[in-house]
């Protein structure tokens, strides 16, 4: 049982001009090789990884607090522009380990889609600067950069939420976000 | 016992150019007359209220979800510029009714101070656009507009946190934020 850190003091952080949260206590960099098999076009994935290239897909800059329900984690995500075949760069996507935990996103830079899934249902929320997007309890969520600039957003979620990446790694996600004839297409997919 | 709303669907909201969250389900307008006795200079308060004037001090635009620990409430606050005597316009300030609930603020426009208090301790976090400010569990918190433009920020807090305004109304807040010789002064006060 994790309890709140009663010695916590108030603090201020800054989101810098490229979207980095400073200071951060955890920084994650996800490269394409760490998302093996998540994009539909395996040939395009192999091509993108050929010759030792391994594109940086996204960065998460987080300030950690106690993993307690009443605490709140805050992070920024910088999702770089790019595609694998015709599929836009995206995050791995996750459920919260504690399923009934919500999350709030706030768009800071660039353009994207928040795609969500639950029990066969699928939803998408377009995001841009000034948009607040709500991930309700129980919904898997993934973000996608549909533009040509970095897509940057702030996220806040309960301290005890945790991340379950494994379910999406094995079961896939029911939407793909593609570029078709110069347009952004959110497509229902088999997995 | 309030449980999460399992019929919740994802949604997107927009913070408009003046800082209003749209759509909102609750909008609060606090005028000076609703904060009677909170500013130190009672004569200046009476003068500000004379002749039927009743300045709008701040607005809160909130999107309500279920009052459940795993849900997250989101709102924007537009704190207008102004002073009562030499004391800057501020919010009423509150503890969370459920004391061990944190809150995250994100500065959008203007300049301010987040002042906090707990068990005789007092802290202040300066806020401006791009600043993430953390209200730890158990700390009373109030925001103050120290600039000449509206001070606007986004706030996220757990669905079950609730607001206790009464404790500050009766016991006061241990800091006052004043203009002295053109400078912003955060002063420890008797109440």
């Amino acid at each position: 049982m994790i309890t709140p850190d009663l010695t916590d003091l108030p603090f201020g952080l800054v989101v810098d001009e490229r979207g980095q949260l400073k200071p951060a206590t955890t920084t994650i960099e996800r490269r394409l090789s760490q998302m093996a098999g998540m994009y539909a076009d395996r040939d395009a994935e192999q091509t993108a990884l050929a010759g030792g290239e391994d594109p940086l897909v996204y960065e998460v800059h987080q300030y950690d607090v106690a993993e307690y329900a009443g605490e709140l984690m805050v992070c920024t995500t910088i999702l770089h522009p790019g595609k694998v075949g015709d599929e836009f760069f995206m995050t791995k996507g996750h459920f919260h380990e504690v399923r009934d935990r919500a999350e709030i996103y706030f768009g800071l830079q660039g353009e994207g889609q928040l795609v969500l899934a639950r029990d066969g249902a699928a939803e998408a929320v377009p995001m841009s600067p000034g948009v607040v997007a709500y991930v309700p309890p129980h919904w898997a969520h993934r973000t996608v950069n549909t533009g040509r600039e970095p897509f940057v957003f702030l996220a806040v979620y309960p301290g005890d939420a945790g991340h379950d990446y494994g379910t999406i790694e094995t079961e896939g996600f029911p939407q793909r976000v593609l570029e078709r004839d110069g347009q952004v297409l959110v497509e229902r997919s088999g997995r």
Side-chain angles (χ1 to χ4, degrees), chain A residues 28-47:
Chain A
I28 297 169
E29 285 194 351
R30 295 250 200 248
R31 295 186 175 273
L32 184 57
S33 64
Q34 297 168 294
M35 302 178 69
M38 287 194 148
Y39 293 90
D41 187 337
R42 305 297 163 95
D43 292 341
E45 184 186 296
Q46 286 314 307
T47 305

Side-chain angles (χ1 to χ4, degrees), chain A residues 9-15 21-23 63:
Chain A
L9 288 177
F11 58 78
L13 311 169
V14 176
V15 180
L21 186 65
K22 289 181 173 172
Y63 195 96

